[in-house]
Amino acid sequence: MAQGEVLKTDVLIVGGGIAGIRAAIECHKNGVDVTLMTKGAFGKDGAAVWMAGWGYQVALYPPDSIEQHVKDAIIGGKFLNNQELVHEFLSLAPETVKELDKWGMRLAKKEGKYVQIRMPGHSYPRSLQHAKLGELLGGEYRKALPRQVRRRKEIRVLEDSTVVDLLKVNNTVVGAVALDMRDGELKVIEAKTTILATGGFMGCFEFTTANPTLVGDGHGLAYRAGARMVDMEFIQFMPTTSVWPLSVRRDLFPYSLLNILHGYFYNKNGERFMERYYPKERDFATREAQGRAIFREVREGRGSPHGGAYLSFKHLPNNLLDEVLKALKDNPFILGLKQDGIDLKEDGIEVAPAAHYIQGGCWINKRCETSLDGLYAIGEIGSGGKDGADRLAGNSLPFCMAMGIVAGREASARARKSGAAKVSKAQIKEVTTQALAPLKRSDGVRAQAVKQTIRKLMSTYMVFERTGNELKTALKEIEKLRAEALSNLWVKNKTKRLNMDWLDAVEAGNMVDVAEMAMRAALMREESRGLHERADFPEKDPKWLKHIVMESKEGKMALSTEPVAFPYLKPEEG
Amino acid sequence: MADGNLAEVKIFRFDPSVDKEPRYEVYQVPYQGLTVVDVCSYILREQDPTLSFRFGCDGAGGERCGACPILVNGTPALGCKRPAEKEMVLEPHPKFEVLKDLAIDFSQETKERRKIKPKVVITVDPERCTGCRDCMLICPVGVWEVQKKGGKATAFPVDIESCCGLTCKQCAMFCRYGAISITEKSGGK
């Protein structure tokens, strides 16, 4: 696309993860003109393509049923789920497995049936397995899904592009202005419908199991455009992710090791601190309990050098460990330890909680429509409250696939009915001027400093044991960032092509919006439920069995609540 | 020469839309406990905002998205999994056209390739290999090809020069028949 040119498309999909890719395929099936935009290189970037590891939960064979799967999800979500959405999307899950199989995912089968294992919170074995036993499924998505897009030559893929703002006429989204990193130009895209598939905002934390570029761009865009957002206070952490040594940083494997071997946790004083918090269960407390305890140890200055706790297996017999290490000799985690000179029989691995999944996003209905006409949201950002207060392991991927199908179908149908999108010249000018402002300044605040501050605030106050006072302090910092830094952002790099400094400035704006939404919701919810834990309100409170919804009204963040309906499972039954 | 805690990093700089010739710039940066991608991020943040490079998953979850192949001291590696060294020359992965500096365009292969000496040894067990193409699809830099020889389809590492070696190892990891093994040549890094 050359400079000044306007790209016209039927469906614009922002984000190239599993949900975005599946939606693009569905739009292609429906014969509409579809544009898939990714922030980095296609197939290597995107929301979830590579990080999806263990679970793909689907109810396939009796006695398991869709109904039971829905019930499990609701119980796991502490009854805060939007049950209608859960049922709608999980019903499509079996269909998505057939597709994945057809597209070349190597799934384990035995006697014509898929091999499934049971994971915590699920009533039946439901999680599909890699054909090579014990291998993660992540690479399979990376292999199978991008190829389906490349095969369909009509799908227009815009790589290295990031939306800076959505374009709107009245209450209808009619396209977007995007920064094309490849030539450093702002491009206008007129789209009859737009699907957000930008993933979560785990990148707003210092330590995450996800791609650190996932900073909640879609959340920021949708909020600024006036969409209603929901459940922003619920953030999932992977409690035992390795922080050190370097070659295995961010690796999730310690969690598997912990399941196989039951390690002991130590702080820097050599104290087995789990005993202090959980005298009965000690090191075998739940995942959340382990994460909470590590978080507190680090916060109170007893953490390991890289901000975690030591996980040790030294108490186990050497010959037992030898057997395990032999079985895992090709495992990249074990190889990495070896490379960095860490001997599992002697040394500890440093582990810490890492941001893993975001439950909050746009308020949607079962057609994946947001509160704005022509705007759809799927995957993590298409929250709708479907995950409730906690997400069951392995449920996000079937959701991504199913929502991709639904949104692709609905957006195509709408696009076919609507005339050409008409964007407002005045709004384009406003958005472009704003996006260019940091580039025009010759001094000011660097975006990287804003990003670092947000990550620090989120990692300190938005993890476990949140308190009202701390959240208020953090929100003051956010307000200060908004007033002093965002209006004075400075892109020091004035070159055009692949200007990463400029991209940081775009992301910084989204991160400030995201952090404020998450913190305001966390402050408002005066109870502890699922992933949201308030030290000053440690109990679950029935009167908080409702969603916190927020939207931008006259430049202010307006918060309200939305009741939960129980068409499939009522709280007293669970 | 840099002081004891700083590395001297020489980086390939080239913007084909503006520059006639590539050039190298030298930076002095902390390196201990950092990866190559960390070092690039540090330079972008603290020293030179005009630097461009690619990164993706940053090793998240223990997998590799394959967005950051970089030539480190003449050897291809995934930058997020390659520990930084005291003296480093960073150049773009030679298989693909340069978009800018270290960032490559995965859709454009270079016509004339710079010769590099492979530091890895890749072996395929022909008995185990079924020619299923998994390795070919997962490799971020196109090392593999499946060819029919003697009536049987088998995977061949046809472009071993591009291989990111032990920093990646995705082919060996995803081969469900355990047919692939990658080792590094002794003496090489």
Side-chain angles (χ1 to χ4, degrees):
Chain A
M1 216 184 357
Q3 184 192 355
E5 212 177 294
V6 175
L7 173 72
K8 292 177 200 283
T9 187
D10 288 338
V11 184
L12 169 66
I13 301 169
V14 189
I18 292 176
I21 286 177
R22 185 60 193 86
I25 294 169
E26 193 64 22
C27 291
H28 182 264
K29 262 191 204 166
N30 280 279
V32 295
D33 180 89
V34 54
T35 304
L36 179 61
M37 188 186 287
T38 68
K39 201 174 183 174
F42 175 69
K44 301 186 195 302
D45 176 273
V49 179
W50 58 82
M51 59 165 286
W54 291 303
Y56 194 101
Q57 307 285 353
V58 48
L60 288 175
Y61 312 110
D64 198 3
S65 63
I66 305 284
E67 276 59 41
Q68 190 57 47
H69 193 176
V70 171
K71 279 183 186 170
D72 289 346
I74 295 166
I75 294 166
K78 314 287 181 278
F79 290 91
L80 197 65
N81 313 58
N82 182 330
Q83 302 191 357
E84 195 195 11
L85 295 187
V86 179
H87 188 268
E88 182 74 15
F89 301 141
L90 286 183
S91 304
L92 285 171
E95 185 186 321
T96 64
V97 180
K98 278 186 217 146
E99 278 181 351
L100 291 173
D101 202 345
K102 194 175 80 194
W103 292 342
M105 290 263 301
R106 310 269 168 187
L107 299 168
K109 280 180 230 173
K110 206 174 171 184
E111 290 157 10
K113 282 182 165 186
Y114 293 101
V115 177
Q116 294 175 292
I117 61 158
R118 187 173 164 183
M119 287 174 73
H122 292 272
S123 302
Y124 293 99
R126 265 184 205 134
S127 185
L128 300 175
Q129 290 296 293
H130 193 285
K132 182 175 171 183
L133 230 60
E135 199 51 79
L136 300 181
L137 276 173
E140 291 295 308
Y141 303 106
R142 245 182 302 149
K143 214 179 60 186
L145 290 168
R147 194 160 57 122
Q148 292 304 318
V149 172
R150 290 201 184 95
R151 274 189 177 173
R152 294 163 168 81
K153 300 264 181 272
E154 296 79 13
I155 299 178
R156 187 184 299 105
V157 179
L158 296 181
E159 292 182 289
D160 299 306
S161 299
T162 303
V163 171
V164 296
D165 257 316
L166 295 170
L167 293 171
K168 238 175 74 175
V169 171
N170 300 322
N171 200 40
T172 308
V173 172
V174 289
V177 174
L179 165 60
D180 184 344
M181 296 276 287
R182 289 190 168 221
D183 59 7
E185 299 290 346
L186 293 168
K187 309 275 170 79
V188 176
I189 297 160
E190 280 186 8
K192 291 178 183 168
T193 55
T194 303
I195 301 176
L196 292 177
T198 51
F201 51 83
M202 294 76 81
C204 288
F205 290 82
E206 286 171 335
F207 190 48
T208 163
T209 58
N211 179 340
T213 64
L214 295 176
V215 293
D217 292 323
H219 291 76
L221 297 174
Y223 168 74
R224 287 197 299 279
R228 300 181 82 204
M229 309 298 283
V230 64
D231 281 357
M232 293 292 285
E233 66 274 36
F234 296 105
I235 297 159
Q236 193 177 41
F237 293 89
M238 202 50 148
T240 53
T241 308
S242 69
V243 260
W244 203 255
L246 192 60
S247 59
V248 296
R249 192 177 58 179
R250 297 173 188 280
D251 203 313
L252 297 168
F253 197 70
Y255 175 57
S256 309
L257 264 187
L258 204 56
N259 284 344
I260 313 171
L261 290 174
H262 289 305
Y264 289 170
F265 292 99
Y266 294 91
N267 62 18
K268 76 166 182 192
N269 303 329
E271 184 197 1
R272 278 184 63 191
F273 58 87
M274 289 298 291
E275 307 180 323
R276 203 163 359 99
Y277 302 105
Y278 306 97
K280 222 173 92 200
E281 305 93 332
R282 300 200 292 180
D283 302 279
F284 311 129
T286 62
R287 263 205 304 176
E288 283 64 32
Q290 289 164 347
R292 188 181 301 124
I294 297 171
F295 179 72
R296 201 193 284 179
E297 288 298 304
V298 174
R299 216 176 151 178
E300 291 173 2
R302 292 186 295 275
S304 66
H306 302 92
Y310 295 98
L311 173 62
S312 163
F313 301 97
K314 202 181 168 178
H315 57 284
L316 296 167
N318 265 348
N319 45 358
L320 185 157
L321 285 172
D322 278 334
E323 281 301 311
V324 175
L325 290 175
K326 206 168 99 191
L328 293 170
K329 70 176 177 13
D330 286 329
N331 182 292
F333 182 81
I334 301 296
L335 285 172
L337 289 184
K338 208 167 137 192
Q339 190 186 319
D340 279 342
I342 298 284
D343 181 359
L344 262 196
K345 291 191 279 187
E346 292 295 328
D347 307 314
I349 318 158
E350 292 181 47
V351 294
H356 186 58
Y357 184 84
I358 304 297
Q359 324 258 112
C362 296
W363 179 263
I364 54 160
N365 61 19
K366 62 181 184 182
R367 290 181 297 280
C368 298
E369 294 164 338
T370 67
S371 61
L372 300 176
D373 291 336
L375 185 68
Y376 299 74
I378 54 177
E380 256 173 301
I381 185 174
S383 164
K386 65 183 184 302
D387 296 308
D390 200 348
R391 175 186 67 101
L392 281 195
N395 261 2
S396 70
L397 291 167
F399 274 139
C400 282
M401 285 288 286
M403 292 170 93
I405 297 174
V406 172
R409 187 181 65 212
E410 297 293 330
S412 305
R414 187 188 155 97
R416 259 195 255 110
K417 273 186 284 180
S418 6
K422 270 269 169 285
V423 294
S424 129
K425 286 225 168 74
Q427 201 198 355
I428 293 173
K429 200 169 169 217
E430 193 193 315
V431 170
T432 343
T433 312
Q434 212 182 348
L436 286 169
L439 212 59
K440 298 222 159 105
R441 289 190 189 103
S442 54
D443 199 359
V445 184
R446 294 282 306 279
Q448 294 81 6
V450 177
K451 288 174 75 170
Q452 276 183 326
T453 312
I454 297 278
R455 284 179 173 146
K456 182 91 208 147
L457 289 171
M458 292 291 271
S459 307
T460 314
Y461 302 115
M462 280 299 290
V463 190
F464 299 97
E465 299 179 323
R466 301 163 180 171
T467 69
N469 283 339
E470 287 179 347
L471 287 168
K472 279 180 203 154
T473 316
L475 275 163
K476 278 208 187 88
E477 294 282 320
I478 300 278
E479 276 161 24
K480 212 171 117 195
L481 280 181
R482 197 182 279 288
E484 293 165 18
L486 277 199
S487 55
N488 198 23
L489 273 186
W490 171 39
V491 175
K492 200 172 166 189
N493 177 13
K494 311 293 181 196
T495 65
K496 291 236 158 196
R497 192 176 268 207
L498 282 181
N499 186 339
M500 296 172 79
D501 201 19
W502 193 5
L503 180 64
D504 276 334
V506 174
E507 290 183 348
N510 293 328
M511 286 170 78
V512 170
D513 286 335
V514 162
E516 184 174 345
M517 282 192 272
M519 286 174 185
R520 288 212 186 280
L523 180 64
M524 186 176 184
R525 183 174 288 279
E526 295 186 331
E527 65 155 353
S528 292
R529 181 185 297 271
L531 301 170
H532 170 71
E533 188 186 282
R534 283 281 296 264
D536 43 359
F537 295 94
E539 300 300 323
K540 192 154 77 178
D541 183 347
K543 82 170 183 278
W544 269 108
L545 190 48
K546 52 190 175 187
H547 295 287
I548 294 175
V549 176
M550 50 188 68
E551 62 194 303
S552 170
K553 276 193 180 148
E554 283 130 29
K556 283 259 182 302
M557 202 172 276
L559 280 81
S560 56
T561 59
E562 194 73 40
V564 183
F566 309 105
Y568 293 95
L569 190 66
K570 288 191 173 50
E572 50 273 20
E573 290 173 35
Chain B
M1 195 57 219
D3 83 41
N5 296 319
L6 297 181
E8 194 166 272
V9 187
K10 204 169 136 188
I11 299 183
F12 176 96
R13 303 299 307 272
F14 184 46
D15 182 346
S17 66
V18 185
D19 303 332
K20 279 204 184 86
E21 294 269 314
R23 63 182 193 283
Y24 286 83
E25 272 177 40
V26 180
Y27 303 89
Q28 302 205 339
V29 291
Y31 74 102
Q32 282 154 345
L34 300 181
T35 63
V36 168
V37 165
D38 290 339
V39 163
C40 292
S41 303
Y42 179 89
I43 294 171
L44 176 76
R45 194 172 69 233
E46 307 287 343
Q47 299 184 348
D48 187 349
T50 66
L51 180 67
S52 302
F53 57 97
R54 277 193 190 281
F55 70 100
C57 67
D58 207 9
E63 300 207 347
R64 317 279 188 269
C65 73
C68 61
I70 297 179
L71 206 57
V72 184
N73 291 339
T75 307
L78 292 183
C80 76
K81 283 288 159 188
R82 178 75 151 83
E85 284 174 29
K86 186 145 175 63
E87 278 174 52
M88 280 196 299
V89 181
L90 303 183
E91 293 162 307
H93 192 286
K95 181 157 186 167
F96 304 95
E97 291 288 354
V98 176
L99 261 181
K100 182 169 173 283
D101 306 335
L102 301 175
I104 48 178
D105 186 347
F106 285 99
S107 57
Q108 300 268 338
E109 287 192 18
T110 39
K111 286 183 192 79
E112 281 172 48
R113 193 110 55 90
R114 188 184 134 182
K115 280 269 170 244
I116 43 176
K117 225 173 162 184
K119 297 271 169 63
V120 290
V121 179
I122 305 179
T123 53
V124 182
D125 182 343
E127 295 292 309
R128 290 188 177 185
C129 178
T130 63
C132 75
R133 293 163 29 110
D134 269 14
C135 48
M136 206 175 117
L137 293 168
I138 204 76
C139 178
V141 291
V143 168
W144 294 92
E145 230 172 61
V146 172
Q147 297 170 353
K148 243 188 176 155
K149 278 188 185 168
K152 182 181 177 282
T154 311
F156 292 92
V158 290
D159 182 13
I160 195 165
E161 284 184 8
S162 293
C163 179
C164 293
L166 299 190
T167 58
C168 176
K169 235 191 151 188
Q170 295 292 286
C171 52
M173 208 174 130
F174 279 96
C175 176
R176 57 171 166 159
Y177 307 103
I180 299 171
S181 81
I182 299 185
T183 48
E184 290 193 351
K185 277 183 190 166
S186 52
K189 270 210 165 174

